[in-house]
């Protein structure tokens, strides 16, 4: 699923165009936005691609939405 990641102040935000959904990133399982699982404020979880820490934002990436049981 396409997800656009951007920074607003010191907070990451994710926009999912297919659902017209914009939410804050509230948790990152490895302490960084790339290469792990992020949780949005609505509870959705995405497996993010492994990109360099200095990747310029905003950027649209293909992320895998995890099922609600994950």
């Amino acid at each position: 699923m396409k997800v656009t990641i951007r920074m607003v102040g010191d907070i990451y935000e994710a926009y999912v165009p297919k659902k017209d959904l914009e939410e804050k990133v509230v948790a990152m399982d490895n302490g960084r936005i790339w290469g792990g699982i992020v949780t949005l404020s609505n509870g959705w979880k995405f497996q993010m691609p492994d990109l360099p820490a200095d990747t310029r934002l905003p950027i649209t990436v293909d992320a895998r939405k995890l099922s609600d049981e994950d």
Side-chain angles (χ1 to χ4, degrees):
M1 182 173 286
K2 297 283 186 191
V3 177
T4 300
I5 301 294
R6 69 181 183 142
M7 288 289 291
V8 177
D10 59 350
I11 304 288
Y12 287 106
E13 284 189 350
Y15 176 66
V16 183
K18 188 173 184 178
K19 301 293 183 181
D20 193 27
L21 174 79
E22 186 170 0
E23 299 286 338
K24 292 180 182 173
V25 174
V26 296
M28 298 175 275
D29 74 335
N30 64 1
R32 52 185 228 117
I33 194 77
W34 307 121
I37 297 170
V38 299
T39 304
L40 305 185
S41 57
N42 68 350
W44 286 10
K45 294 183 179 190
F46 286 93
Q47 175 67 49
M48 300 300 287
D50 193 14
L51 297 175
D54 62 351
T55 299
R56 293 190 65 172
L57 301 178
I59 187 171
T60 301
V61 298
D62 282 315
R64 186 170 61 93
K65 183 177 183 295
L66 302 177
S67 67
D68 294 333
E69 294 83 43
D70 288 355

